[in-house]
């Protein structure tokens, strides 16, 4: 039985330290140090308030269903999760009281899951507007983590026509968050972010969209196991064809990997077993801000990507240009966004919905 207040073994704990070290780009020699520092941090068990707004709770699901090790339990051993309406035992008035007590104490890490309705009456908890609750709790937080693409930039719920005016944390609250894009968030990234924060007491270096560069510094395309097929001009032309069987590149059937910054090929989903492209589906770009409108239709070819061996740039719809502008044409070459900024949103806030990116402004 575990020595950390839960049902987990020392072996699981060390496994988490090892996984976190790998995700954070540290060698195995860092594992004992991480373990010692975490044990120290776990004594304090920092308070965490997890607010759910407009979403399908997929990020909570992703976290609690992870095994090898049981990530959720380990996380619960490290922190004091004072409020999470999905998994807490308390309900009704009791749960509201637990949340208010955490607010009174202050100095908690605030995790927000789900988009925030900015129009009145579209999203309420205990007769209060989600927008007001978000503002109130963000004001007293020591750090805000937006988990999943709904919380970062609105995600699926904010897709056109968006009658509720749903927005992500920055657009709705004007608050700087550590943005963990992806739909759902990869639980390993969330745990590593919390581990990193507990170890360093610092917000990680982020790109201009608030994403930790360590997880979002490279395109899917640059890390993709099918990249050799792309370079050789071997593409799946349609689903069900021979090329699909052969595992060729999915660019022509809609893959948005050339314009999507995330580490899915390395980190994978479902206990690290597989990921979208590994399972045969094109990347639909869920790690990118405003991806639902920016990348619809999901099986349409991404415009502006230079195909090896073919002169010029692919022609295509202008949807992607709406957000990515000129950067699209060189999307598979460089992550200009990530290299230009310091990662501190205080110094350089990300663009709001409809606002031009630094690349578009030139
Ligand atoms: S286009 Fe998609 S499938 Fe092809 S190499 Fe790039 S990321 Fe992989
Ligand atoms: S591979 Fe693409 S669609 Fe799949 S989770 Fe990663 S960013 Fe999202």
């Amino acid at each position: 039985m575990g020595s950390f207040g839960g049902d987990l073994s020392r072996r699981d704990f060390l496994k988490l330290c090892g996984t976190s070290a790998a995700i954070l780009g540290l060698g195995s020699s860092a594992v004992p140090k991480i373990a010692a520092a975490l044990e120290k941090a776990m004594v304090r068990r920092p308070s965490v308030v997890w607010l759910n707004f407009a979403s399908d709770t997929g990020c909570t699901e992703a976290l609690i269903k992870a095994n090898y090790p049981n990530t959720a339990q380990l996380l619960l051993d490290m922190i004091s999760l004072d409020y999470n309406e999905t998994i807490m035992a308390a309900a009704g008035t009791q749960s509201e009281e637990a949340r208010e007590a955490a607010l009174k104490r202050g100095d908690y890490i605030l995790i927000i899951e789900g988009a925030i309705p900015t129009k009145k009456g579209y999203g309420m908890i205990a007769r209060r507007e989600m927008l007001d609750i978000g503002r109130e709790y963000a004001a007293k937080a020591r750090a805000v983590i937006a988990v999943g693409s709904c919380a970062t930039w609105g995600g699926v719920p904010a897709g056109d026509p968006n009658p509720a005016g749903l927005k992500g944390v920055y657009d709705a609250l004007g608050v700087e968050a550590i943005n963990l894009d992806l739909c759902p968030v990869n639980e390993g990234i969330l745990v590593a972010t919390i581990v990193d924060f507990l170890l360093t007491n610092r917000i990680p270096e982020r790109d201009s969209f608030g994403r930790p560069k360590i997880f979002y510094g490279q395109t899917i395309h640059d890390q993709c196991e099918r990249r050799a097929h792309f370079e050789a001009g071997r593409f799946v032309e349609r689903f069900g064809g021979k090329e699909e069987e052969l595992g060729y590149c999915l660019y022509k059937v809609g893959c948005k990997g050339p314009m999507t910054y995330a580490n899915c090929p390395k980190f994978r989903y479902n206990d690290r077993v597989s990921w979208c492209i590994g399972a045969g589906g094109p990347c639909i770009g869920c790690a990118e801000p405003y991806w639902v409108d920016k990348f619809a239709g999901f099986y349409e070819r991404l415009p502006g990507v230079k195909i090896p061996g073919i002169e010029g740039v692919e022609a295509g719809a202008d949807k992607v240009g709406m957000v990515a502008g000129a950067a699209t044409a060189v999307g598979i070459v460089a992550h200009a966004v990530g290299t230009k900024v310091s990662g501190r949103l205080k110094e350089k806030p990300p663009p709001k919905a409809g606002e031009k990116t630094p690349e578009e402004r030139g």
Side-chain angles (χ1 to χ4, degrees):
M1 295 296 282
S3 51
F4 305 102
D7 292 331
L8 290 158
S9 65
R10 175 90 189 155
R11 193 164 164 264
D12 280 342
F13 174 70
L14 289 174
K15 199 164 179 180
L16 174 105
C17 296
T19 309
S20 299
I23 301 169
L24 294 168
L26 306 169
S28 54
S29 58
V31 174
K33 276 187 199 156
I34 290 181
L38 272 184
E39 279 173 311
K40 218 167 149 192
M42 282 155 60
V43 174
R44 294 195 305 273
R45 295 184 76 226
S47 170
V48 173
V49 173
W50 182 309
L51 296 178
N52 281 79
F53 295 131
S55 77
D56 62 358
T57 326
C59 294
T60 300
E61 288 267 333
L63 180 69
I64 60 180
K65 285 194 173 159
N67 281 309
Y68 315 112
N70 182 328
T71 320
Q73 186 60 56
L74 276 169
L75 190 61
L76 295 177
D77 284 338
M78 286 193 290
I79 61 170
S80 169
L81 187 58
D82 291 327
Y83 182 86
N84 177 314
E85 64 184 29
T86 313
I87 60 175
M88 69 194 298
T93 311
Q94 259 188 332
S95 68
E96 294 305 302
E97 284 170 1
R99 199 184 69 199
E100 280 157 20
L103 177 70
K104 220 172 186 177
R105 287 191 300 273
D107 202 35
Y108 44 79
I109 298 170
L110 177 63
I111 296 180
I112 294 183
E113 174 178 3
I116 303 170
T118 57
K119 291 201 183 150
K120 274 201 173 349
Y122 278 89
M124 307 191 65
I125 299 170
R127 296 195 205 94
R128 288 193 62 202
E129 293 286 339
M130 289 176 174
L131 184 62
D132 294 339
I133 296 173
R135 278 188 186 132
E136 185 179 31
Y137 280 76
K140 289 184 80 177
R142 146 185 188 204
V144 181
I145 303 176
V147 296
S149 68
C150 302
T152 54
W153 304 103
V156 173
D160 185 53
N162 193 9
L166 287 151
K167 292 180 179 173
V169 168
Y170 183 81
D171 289 337
L173 308 178
V175 163
E176 300 170 16
I178 303 170
N179 279 337
L180 302 184
D181 281 275
L182 286 169
C183 180
V185 71
N186 188 310
E187 94 290 340
I189 287 179
L190 173 60
V191 172
T193 300
I194 292 174
V195 166
D196 183 54
F197 186 72
L198 293 179
L199 293 176
T200 63
N201 205 26
R202 277 203 314 264
I203 304 289
E205 193 183 5
R206 293 165 293 170
D207 67 15
S208 64
F209 294 116
R211 303 174 292 193
K213 285 185 183 177
I214 191 165
F215 308 131
Y216 298 88
Q218 270 186 293
T219 62
I220 296 281
H221 188 67
D222 280 346
Q223 307 160 79
C224 181
E225 61 219 31
R226 300 190 187 211
R227 177 65 182 264
H229 291 305
F230 176 90
E231 295 301 336
R234 294 189 292 261
F235 297 100
V236 173
E237 302 287 341
R238 63 175 178 87
F239 289 110
K242 193 164 175 262
E243 296 88 0
E244 189 186 0
E245 249 176 65
L246 294 167
Y248 284 0
C249 170
L250 297 163
Y251 168 69
K252 289 189 177 177
V253 286
C255 185
K256 310 298 187 292
M259 271 210 56
T260 303
Y261 291 86
N263 67 356
C264 309
K266 282 190 188 146
F267 209 58
R268 300 171 170 238
Y269 277 87
N270 296 336
D271 294 325
R272 320 277 162 265
V273 172
S274 192
W275 66 296
C276 305
I277 291 172
C283 168
I284 57 174
C286 76
E288 288 300 307
Y290 317 115
W291 63 279
V292 176
D293 293 333
K294 172 176 155 186
F295 288 145
F298 297 145
Y299 296 110
E300 280 171 23
R301 198 181 301 186
L302 184 68
V305 174
K306 174 89 175 72
I307 297 186
I310 300 177
E311 281 304 306
V313 169
E314 280 279 287
D318 57 4
K319 283 178 194 147
V320 174
M322 175 179 90
V323 174
T328 310
V330 291
I332 58 173
V333 178
H335 184 190
V337 173
T339 51
K340 271 188 186 173
V341 300
S342 68
R344 284 292 180 147
L345 293 185
K346 261 204 170 87
E347 295 153 18
K348 192 168 184 124
K352 295 185 178 180
E355 194 176 289
K356 287 186 172 177
T357 63
E359 285 66 37
E360 286 173 304
R361 289 195 292 267

